[in-house]
Amino acid sequence: MMSSLTFLIPIALLLGLVALCAFLWSLRSGQYEDLDGAAARILLDEDTPG
């Protein structure tokens, strides 16, 4: 029982650290800058003929 915990806890901490790094990378690269634009873009009709 304890040997499995000593194996699983570091893996869980490592996965949490990877998720945190991915989230911080997405913040710094501007993924959350224009949330309203993406919501309004779905309403635009771009399929109208020329």
Side-chain angles (χ1 to χ4, degrees):
M1 176 70 179
M2 288 301 285
S3 64
S4 63
L5 286 179
T6 58
F7 179 70
L8 291 176
I9 289 176
I11 290 176
L13 291 175
L14 180 67
L15 286 175
L17 183 65
V18 168
L20 179 65
C21 289
F23 176 69
L24 291 176
W25 172 80
S26 69
L27 278 178
R28 289 191 179 139
S29 67
Q31 295 290 321
Y32 301 108
E33 291 295 322
D34 187 21
L35 295 178
D36 293 329
R41 206 172 311 133
I42 197 168
L43 300 174
L44 296 177
D45 189 19
E46 296 179 359
D47 294 336
T48 56

